[in-house]
Amino acid sequence: SQQGEEDPQALSIQEGENATMNCSYKTSINNLQWYRQNSGRGLVHLILIRSNEREKHSGRLRVTLDTSKKSSSLLITASRAADTASYFCATDAPGNQFYFGTGTSLTVIP
Amino acid sequence: GAGVSQTPSNKVTEKGKYVELRCDPISGHTALYWYRQSLGQGPEFLIYFQGTGAADDSGLPNDRFFAVRPEGSVSTLKIQRTERGDSAVYLCASSLGTTQFFGPGTRLTVL
């Protein structure tokens, strides 16, 4: 079974707006990562945040992690049409298993 | 070098047949993962190799599924007596540390 759940399931915004998606998970983790997937094929790693970190930035991406609430958020600022994709959070549990959430489908309208 | 590659990119088979899906990881990556992704879902963990050995195969759904990595590089996922419910995209990923690098996947369709 999958550990994480993303919210919302689908998000549609205008180009230039910010997009925020959330991830909740169930058990303790070492790290949480966000991935992007285009057209249902290979996933691309975006950013990793460790369990002892609370916030991390990479370009237009900002990730937060709240281990007390077992949740994370991904913010994409100044969105572009090319950001249209599905976004997944993934948590690594002890034993190096990776659990992916159900994903947020983001549509950025030009 | 090149990224993770998977062959074939698409596989159509009939119910009851045997299929093999291949994954070529990034050279030097010791860890290799297999996932299955159904439409509208996130990737579901199947099995994880560290070197040649399966460190965790708890995600394999049943004994029709088996994977090998005999030389610690290329891996093959084998599915016996395929069922229509096995239809999905099978993703492979490799890593040297924490970040996994994914291949493009093999889309398996069981008719």
Side-chain angles (χ1 to χ4, degrees):
Chain A
S1 62
Q2 293 176 335
Q3 153 134 281
E5 288 190 7
E6 281 89 346
D7 169 58
Q9 287 189 326
L11 180 61
S12 184
I13 60 173
Q14 295 289 332
E15 197 166 34
E17 293 180 338
N18 296 340
T20 299
M21 50 205 88
N22 305 294
C23 166
S24 60
Y25 56 93
K26 297 176 183 174
T27 64
S28 60
I29 61 171
N30 296 324
N31 306 291
L32 185 143
Q33 302 186 45
W34 285 89
Y35 285 79
R36 183 183 72 204
Q37 185 177 40
N38 292 85
S39 304
R41 298 305 282 260
L43 286 87
V44 174
H45 179 260
L46 295 176
I47 193 167
L48 176 151
I49 187 165
R50 301 190 187 282
S51 59
N52 61 354
E53 297 177 312
R54 292 297 167 258
E55 186 171 315
K56 200 161 184 179
H57 297 252
S58 177
R60 294 184 297 113
L61 305 179
R62 172 178 168 254
V63 170
T64 63
L65 178 64
D66 187 336
T67 53
S68 66
K69 295 181 180 178
K70 292 186 170 59
S71 68
S72 173
S73 68
L74 172 67
L75 169 67
I76 305 174
T77 61
S79 63
R80 305 167 182 168
D83 294 331
T84 295
S86 292
Y87 292 82
F88 295 91
C89 68
T91 54
D92 67 331
N96 275 18
Q97 291 181 20
F98 249 48
Y99 292 102
F100 283 84
T102 51
T104 292
S105 176
L106 173 66
T107 301
V108 180
I109 303 166
Chain B
V4 178
S5 62
Q6 293 185 245
T7 54
S9 56
N10 287 283
K11 176 70 177 179
V12 180
T13 190
E14 293 179 342
K15 180 175 177 293
K17 299 290 188 182
Y18 167 83
V19 296
E20 289 189 352
L21 312 179
R22 176 187 168 108
C23 172
D24 279 88
I26 293 172
S27 178
H29 280 194
T30 54
L32 186 146
Y33 302 76
W34 282 100
Y35 297 87
R36 177 171 68 176
Q37 186 176 24
S38 300
L39 192 63
Q41 299 294 315
E44 176 188 7
F45 170 80
L46 295 177
I47 186 169
Y48 153 60
F49 287 90
Q50 186 63 250
T52 61
D56 186 341
D57 64 357
S58 62
L60 295 177
N62 51 60
D63 61 5
R64 295 187 298 105
F65 289 75
F66 189 71
V68 295
R69 195 187 185 199
E71 298 178 358
S73 178
V74 171
S75 176
T76 304
L77 178 65
K78 308 180 181 191
I79 310 174
Q80 299 177 320
R81 304 183 303 280
T82 52
E83 300 177 356
R84 291 195 180 88
D86 299 335
S87 296
V89 174
Y90 289 81
L91 295 164
C92 173
S94 70
S95 75
L96 200 53
T98 307
T99 299
Q100 296 186 16
F101 297 86
F102 281 81
T106 293
R107 184 179 300 278
L108 175 66
T109 303
V110 182
L111 301 177

